[in-house]
């Protein structure tokens, strides 16, 4: 947090950690300047305390606010924003847990860009106060960490989305052809009123990569083919993808590609392939999705293809019958 000078009034932000017990934090008005006629205000309420220093009482989630000191004529001398930081897993502002995580991060390719999103709980909504990131690597023992900031191997810039529900980042020094040796650690500081909460996520880009959907084209009456997503890295020989092909028969087709077991358990067959072509049969819906072939990361969303060879023939015959009937009339 950065102290700012605004209209000659120093306005620092102070973050105080609390653990449930009473915590007292001292505030000072103007260094060694000490006059009994000085007064203190918390938000819009005057405090009885006078003098150059003031002791703020913080407990649980209370006690934060904007504290200002004033001269005898009530001229503002200094204001300080005090935020309370409490690690209470039962009352977090974001949905999730330490097990499942509070943020979901993903990237569509190996270009150094990634996105993280979150959801607020139904009772509390806040604002992002700060985004920080460092890059870390661990030794063979798993105990010794080496971390670097933007001056090291990564230079990560982030911006909060206009919705306030995510952040978009880019590592301007990222090399897609080099092996990832450092994990990215992204830390979000979220504020609601005078409460501050900290959330962190650590990952390699290879762990969060999720390709865009493939595009499917018809080759002939019995064969389809699909292409790598336009957003995926090239050459494809260096950045290969694996594919899953799901064939859905009968009435289960109405459930679509996204419906997995048990609703498609009986009439669904799933295949894994590196080929980009597939033979299709009538009355069978084909679903295709992609994954980085070199790491166990996220699958892309399904792309659907409905082979309606039989239906097309019936439609053509019906259209022909209607035309003949119209001519005979």
């Amino acid at each position: 947090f950065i102290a700012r000078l605004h209209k000659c009034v120093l306005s620092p932000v102070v973050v105080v950690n609390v653990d449930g017990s009473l915590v007292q934090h001292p505030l000072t008005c103007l260094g060694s300047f000490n006059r009994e006629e000085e007064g203190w205000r918390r938000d819009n309420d005057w405090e009885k305390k006078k003098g150059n220093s003031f002791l703020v009482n913080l407990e649980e989630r209370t006690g934060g606010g904007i504290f200002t000191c004033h001269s005898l004529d009530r001229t503002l001398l200094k204001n300080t924003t005090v935020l309370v930081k409490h690690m209470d897993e039962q009352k977090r502002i974001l949905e999730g847990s330490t097990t499942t995580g509070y943020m979901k991060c993903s990237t569509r390719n190996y270009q150094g860009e990634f996105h993280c999103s979150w959801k607020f709980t139904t009772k509390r909504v806040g604002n992002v106060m700060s985004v920080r990131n460092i890059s870390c690597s661990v030794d063979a023992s798993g105990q010794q960490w080496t971390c670097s900031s933007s001056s090291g191997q990564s230079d990560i810039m982030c911006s909060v989305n206009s919705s306030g529900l995510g952040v978009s980042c880019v590592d301007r020094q990222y090399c897609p052809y080099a092996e990832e040796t450092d994990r990215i650690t992204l830390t979000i500081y979220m504020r609601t009123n005078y409460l501050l909460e900290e959330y962190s996520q650590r990952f390699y880009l290879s762990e969060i990569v999720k390709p865009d959907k493939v595009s499917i084209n018809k080759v002939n009456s019995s064969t389809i083919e699909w292409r790598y997503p336009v957003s995926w890295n090239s050459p494809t020989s260096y950045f290969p993808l694996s594919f899953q092909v799901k064939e859905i028969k009968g009435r289960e087709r109405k459930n679509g590609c996204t419906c997995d077991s048990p609703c498609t358990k009986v009439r669904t067959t799933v295949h894994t392939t590196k080929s980009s072509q597939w033979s299709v049969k009538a009355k069978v819906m084909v679903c295709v999705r992609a994954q980085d072939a070199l790491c166990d990361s996220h699958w892309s969303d399904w792309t659907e293809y409905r082979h309606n060879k039989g239906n097309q023939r019936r439609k053509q015959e019906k259209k022909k019958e209607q035309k003949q009937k119209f001519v005979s009339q």
Side-chain angles (χ1 to χ4, degrees):
F1 300 98
I2 302 175
R4 297 173 298 172
L5 193 63
H6 180 63
K7 293 183 180 180
C8 298
V9 178
L10 191 60
S11 306
V13 176
V14 176
V15 179
V16 182
N17 296 319
V18 296
D19 57 5
S21 59
L22 177 64
V23 176
Q24 293 183 318
H25 185 81
L27 297 179
T28 303
C29 186
L30 292 176
S32 60
F33 187 70
N34 189 1
R35 296 171 58 183
E36 287 299 323
E37 57 264 29
E38 291 175 1
W40 288 83
R41 295 179 68 178
R42 175 182 175 184
D43 297 332
N44 294 321
D45 298 326
W46 284 97
E47 300 283 351
K48 295 180 180 181
K49 170 67 178 177
K50 292 184 179 181
N52 185 50
S53 61
F54 182 78
L55 201 60
V56 181
N57 292 322
L58 305 167
E59 189 172 8
E60 291 288 346
R61 294 173 169 264
T62 62
I66 299 177
F67 294 84
T68 58
C69 65
H70 303 259
S71 62
L72 183 61
D73 60 1
R74 297 198 172 185
T75 299
L76 176 62
L77 300 176
K78 180 182 178 182
N79 62 29
T80 303
T81 300
V82 178
L83 302 180
V84 179
K85 182 180 174 184
H86 192 296
M87 295 300 292
D88 186 349
E89 293 298 330
Q90 303 300 320
K91 299 179 181 179
R92 304 287 272 170
I93 192 174
L94 299 185
E95 292 184 359
S97 66
T98 53
T99 303
T100 61
Y102 294 94
M103 295 186 290
K104 294 183 178 179
C105 299
S106 66
T107 179
R108 61 200 302 203
N109 52 37
Y110 291 103
Q111 296 294 346
E113 298 180 357
F114 60 92
H115 310 274
C116 296
S117 61
W118 53 80
K119 292 183 179 180
F120 290 112
T121 60
T122 56
K123 296 182 180 180
R124 298 174 61 204
V125 176
N127 298 310
V128 177
M129 278 287 293
S130 178
V131 179
R132 296 181 182 178
N133 56 78
I134 56 174
S135 186
C136 299
S137 60
V138 64
D139 65 359
S141 68
Q143 302 294 325
Q144 185 64 43
W145 290 89
T146 303
C147 299
S148 60
S149 63
S150 58
S151 61
Q153 296 180 351
S154 60
D155 181 12
I156 300 176
M157 296 289 294
C158 298
S159 61
V160 180
N161 301 343
S162 58
S163 64
L165 297 176
V167 62
S168 299
C169 304
V170 58
D171 185 348
R172 297 183 293 186
Q173 294 186 10
Y174 184 81
C175 177
Y177 304 100
E179 181 180 356
E180 289 186 284
T181 58
D182 299 332
R183 286 182 184 270
I184 295 173
T185 299
L186 186 72
T187 303
I188 306 292
Y189 294 91
M190 198 76 63
R191 175 182 172 179
T192 171
N193 295 324
Y194 298 116
L195 299 178
L196 189 72
E197 296 179 5
E198 177 183 333
Y199 301 89
S200 293
Q201 194 87 350
R202 296 183 62 256
F203 51 83
Y204 292 114
L205 290 188
S206 59
E207 293 175 329
I208 65 170
V209 67
K210 178 182 178 180
D212 285 337
K213 296 171 64 173
V214 302
S215 58
I216 300 178
N217 298 313
K218 181 179 178 180
V219 177
N220 52 48
S221 60
S222 61
T223 307
I224 61 173
E225 67 176 4
W226 50 85
R227 298 179 180 177
Y228 276 52
V230 176
S231 59
W232 190 248
N233 294 73
S234 61
T236 56
S237 58
Y238 193 85
F239 299 97
L241 291 175
S242 294
F243 305 98
Q244 268 192 353
V245 181
K246 180 163 59 174
E247 296 178 319
I248 305 177
K249 306 174 183 178
R251 296 180 180 179
E252 300 297 343
R253 291 179 296 174
K254 67 180 180 180
N255 295 318
C257 293
T258 57
C259 187
D260 294 318
S261 57
C263 68
T264 58
K265 185 175 182 179
V266 179
R267 294 181 175 271
T268 298
T269 306
V270 180
H271 309 270
T272 300
T273 179
K274 291 185 179 180
S275 173
S276 296
Q277 286 195 345
W278 197 259
S279 298
V280 293
K281 302 176 183 178
K283 299 182 180 180
V284 174
M285 184 175 71
V286 178
C287 307
V288 183
R289 64 180 182 178
Q291 182 192 50
D292 187 343
L294 302 181
C295 61
D296 187 19
S297 54
H298 301 291
W299 286 96
S300 71
D301 295 330
W302 291 104
T303 300
E304 175 185 308
Y305 179 83
R306 292 179 181 268
H307 187 56
N308 297 318
K309 180 179 178 182
N311 292 337
Q312 290 293 335
R313 185 184 298 113
R314 285 193 293 272
K315 287 181 180 180
Q316 292 175 358
E317 292 175 352
K318 187 176 182 180
K319 187 176 181 179
K320 184 176 180 180
E321 291 175 359
Q322 291 176 345
K323 184 177 182 180
Q324 292 175 347
K325 183 178 181 181
F326 178 77
V327 172
S328 62
Q329 292 177 348

